[in-house]
Coordinates of all heavy atoms in Angstrom, one line a residue:
E10 N 91.3 94.8 109.5 CA 90.3 95.9 109.6 C 89.4 95.7 110.9 O 88.8 96.6 111.3 CB 89.5 96.0 108.4 CG 88.5 94.8 108.2 CD 89.1 93.5 107.7 OE1 90.3 93.5 107.3 OE2 88.4 92.5 107.7
Q11 N 89.5 94.5 111.5 CA 88.7 94.3 112.7 C 89.5 94.5 114.0 O 89.0 94.2 115.1 CB 88.2 92.8 112.7 CG 87.2 92.5 111.5 CD 85.8 93.0 111.8 OE1 85.5 93.5 112.9 NE2 85.0 92.9 110.8
S12 N 90.7 94.9 113.9 CA 91.6 95.1 115.1 C 91.0 96.1 116.0 O 90.4 97.1 115.6 CB 93.0 95.5 114.6 OG 93.6 94.6 113.8
R13 N 91.1 95.9 117.3 CA 90.6 96.8 118.4 C 91.7 96.9 119.4 O 92.6 96.1 119.5 CB 89.4 96.2 119.0 CG 88.2 96.2 118.0 CD 86.8 96.2 118.5 NE 86.6 97.2 119.5 CZ 85.8 97.0 120.5 NH1 85.2 95.9 120.7 NH2 85.6 98.0 121.4
G14 N 91.5 97.9 120.3 CA 92.5 98.1 121.4 C 91.9 98.6 122.6 O 90.8 99.1 122.7
I15 N 92.8 98.6 123.7 CA 92.5 99.2 125.0 C 93.7 100.0 125.3 O 94.8 99.6 125.3 CB 92.3 98.1 126.1 CG1 91.1 97.2 125.7 CG2 92.1 98.8 127.4 CD1 90.9 96.1 126.7
I16 N 93.5 101.3 125.7 CA 94.5 102.2 126.0 C 94.6 102.3 127.5 O 93.6 102.5 128.2 CB 94.3 103.6 125.4 CG1 94.2 103.6 123.9 CG2 95.3 104.6 125.9 CD1 92.9 103.3 123.3
V17 N 95.8 102.1 128.1 CA 96.0 102.1 129.5 C 96.8 103.4 129.8 O 97.9 103.6 129.4 CB 96.8 100.9 130.0 CG1 97.0 101.0 131.5 CG2 96.2 99.6 129.6
A18 N 96.2 104.3 130.5 CA 96.8 105.6 130.8 C 97.6 105.5 132.1 O 97.5 104.6 132.9 CB 95.7 106.7 131.0
T19 N 98.6 106.4 132.3 CA 99.4 106.4 133.5 C 98.6 106.5 134.8 O 98.9 106.0 135.8 CB 100.4 107.6 133.4 OG1 101.1 107.5 132.2 CG2 101.4 107.6 134.6
S20 N 97.4 107.1 134.6 CA 96.5 107.3 135.8 C 95.9 105.9 136.2 O 95.2 105.8 137.2 CB 95.4 108.3 135.5 OG 94.6 107.8 134.4
G21 N 96.1 104.9 135.3 CA 95.4 103.6 135.5 C 94.1 103.4 134.8 O 93.6 102.3 134.8
R22 N 93.6 104.5 134.3 CA 92.3 104.5 133.6 C 92.4 103.7 132.3 O 93.5 103.8 131.7 CB 91.7 105.9 133.4 CG 91.4 106.5 134.7 CD 90.7 107.8 134.5 NE 89.6 107.8 135.4 CZ 88.5 108.5 135.2 NH1 88.4 109.3 134.2 NH2 87.5 108.4 136.0
L23 N 91.3 103.1 131.9 CA 91.3 102.4 130.6 C 90.3 103.0 129.7 O 89.3 103.5 130.0 CB 90.8 100.9 130.9 CG 91.6 100.2 132.0 CD1 90.9 98.9 132.3 CD2 93.0 99.9 131.5
Y24 N 90.7 103.0 128.4 CA 89.9 103.5 127.3 C 89.9 102.6 126.2 O 91.0 102.1 125.7 CB 90.5 104.9 126.8 CG 90.6 105.9 127.9 CD1 91.8 106.0 128.6 CD2 89.6 106.7 128.3 CE1 91.9 107.0 129.7 CE2 89.7 107.7 129.3 CZ 90.9 107.8 130.0 OH 91.0 108.7 131.0
K25 N 88.7 102.2 125.7 CA 88.6 101.3 124.5 C 88.8 102.2 123.3 O 88.5 103.4 123.2 CB 87.3 100.6 124.5 CG 87.1 99.6 125.5 CD 85.8 98.9 125.4 CE 85.6 97.8 126.5 NZ 84.3 97.1 126.4
S26 N 89.4 101.6 122.2 CA 89.6 102.3 121.0 C 88.2 102.6 120.4 O 87.2 102.0 120.8 CB 90.4 101.4 120.0 OG 89.7 100.1 119.8
Y27 N 88.2 103.5 119.5 CA 86.9 103.9 118.9 C 86.9 103.8 117.4 O 88.0 103.8 116.8 CB 86.5 105.4 119.3 CG 87.4 106.4 118.7 CD1 87.1 107.0 117.5 CD2 88.6 106.7 119.3 CE1 88.0 108.0 116.9 CE2 89.5 107.7 118.8 CZ 89.2 108.3 117.6 OH 90.0 109.2 117.0
Q28 N 85.8 103.6 116.8 CA 85.7 103.4 115.3 C 85.7 104.7 114.6 O 84.9 105.6 114.9 CB 84.5 102.5 115.0 CG 84.6 101.9 113.6 CD 83.5 100.9 113.5 OE1 82.3 101.3 113.4 NE2 83.8 99.6 113.4
S29 N 86.5 104.8 113.6 CA 86.6 106.0 112.8 C 85.3 106.1 111.9 O 84.9 105.1 111.3 CB 87.8 106.0 111.8 OG 87.8 107.1 111.0
Q30 N 84.7 107.3 111.9 CA 83.4 107.5 111.2 C 83.5 108.1 109.8 O 82.5 108.2 109.1 CB 82.4 108.3 112.0 CG 82.1 107.7 113.4 CD 81.4 106.4 113.3 OE1 80.5 106.2 112.5 NE2 81.8 105.4 114.1
S31 N 84.7 108.5 109.5 CA 84.9 109.2 108.2 C 86.3 109.0 107.7 O 87.2 108.5 108.4 CB 84.5 110.7 108.3 OG 85.4 111.3 109.2
G32 N 86.6 109.5 106.5 CA 87.9 109.5 105.9 C 88.3 108.1 105.3 O 87.5 107.2 105.2
K33 N 89.6 108.0 105.0 CA 90.1 106.8 104.3 C 90.1 105.6 105.3 O 90.2 104.5 104.9 CB 91.4 107.0 103.7 CG 92.6 107.2 104.6 CD 93.8 107.4 103.8 CE 95.0 107.6 104.8 NZ 96.3 107.6 104.1
H34 N 90.1 105.9 106.6 CA 90.1 104.8 107.6 C 88.8 104.5 108.2 O 88.7 104.0 109.3 CB 91.1 105.1 108.7 CG 92.5 105.3 108.2 ND1 93.2 104.2 107.6 CD2 93.3 106.3 108.1 CE1 94.4 104.7 107.3 NE2 94.5 105.9 107.6
K35 N 87.7 104.9 107.5 CA 86.4 104.7 108.0 C 86.1 103.2 108.4 O 86.4 102.3 107.6 CB 85.3 105.2 107.0 CG 83.9 105.1 107.5 CD 82.9 105.6 106.5 CE 81.5 105.5 107.1 NZ 80.5 106.0 106.2
G36 N 85.6 103.0 109.6 CA 85.3 101.7 110.1 C 86.4 101.0 110.8 O 86.2 100.0 111.4
K37 N 87.6 101.6 110.8 CA 88.7 101.0 111.6 C 88.8 101.7 112.9 O 88.5 102.8 113.1 CB 90.0 101.2 110.8 CG 90.0 100.4 109.5 CD 91.4 100.5 108.8 CE 91.3 99.7 107.5 NZ 92.6 99.9 106.7
D38 N 89.3 100.9 113.9 CA 89.5 101.4 115.2 C 90.7 102.3 115.4 O 91.8 102.0 114.8 CB 89.5 100.3 116.3 CG 88.1 100.0 116.8 OD1 87.1 100.1 116.0 OD2 88.0 99.6 118.0
K39 N 90.6 103.4 116.2 CA 91.7 104.3 116.5 C 91.9 104.4 118.0 O 91.0 104.2 118.7 CB 91.4 105.7 115.9 CG 91.3 105.7 114.4 CD 91.1 107.2 114.0 CE 91.1 107.3 112.5 NZ 90.9 108.7 112.0
N40 N 93.2 104.8 118.4 CA 93.4 105.0 119.8 C 93.1 106.5 120.0 O 92.6 107.2 119.2 CB 94.9 104.7 120.2 CG 95.9 105.5 119.5 OD1 95.6 106.6 118.9 ND2 97.1 105.1 119.5
R41 N 93.3 107.0 121.2 CA 93.0 108.3 121.6 C 93.7 109.4 120.9 O 93.3 110.5 120.7 CB 93.2 108.5 123.1 CG 92.2 107.7 123.9 CD 92.5 107.7 125.4 NE 92.1 109.0 125.9 CZ 92.6 109.5 127.1 NH1 93.5 108.8 127.8 NH2 92.3 110.7 127.5
S42 N 94.9 109.0 120.3 CA 95.7 110.0 119.5 C 95.3 110.0 118.1 O 95.9 110.7 117.2 CB 97.2 109.6 119.6 OG 97.6 109.6 120.9

């Protein structure tokens, strides 16, 4: 439940995963999709 990520886009830009604020996965990190 503490897993985190970094998304690397084709453009070279980096995005950190974000924490879900609602639903059954509340508190878990998600990617941009």
Side-chain angles (χ1 to χ4, degrees):
E10 71 284 351
Q11 296 282 353
S12 299
R13 295 205 47 213
I15 298 172
I16 298 90
V17 182
T19 305
S20 65
R22 295 187 129 203
L23 305 171
Y24 303 91
K25 289 184 181 178
S26 59
Y27 67 94
Q28 198 171 69
S29 178
Q30 299 299 318
S31 63
K33 68 179 183 176
H34 299 295
K35 183 178 181 180
K37 294 183 179 178
D38 269 32
K39 294 181 176 183
N40 65 15
R41 293 175 68 201
S42 303

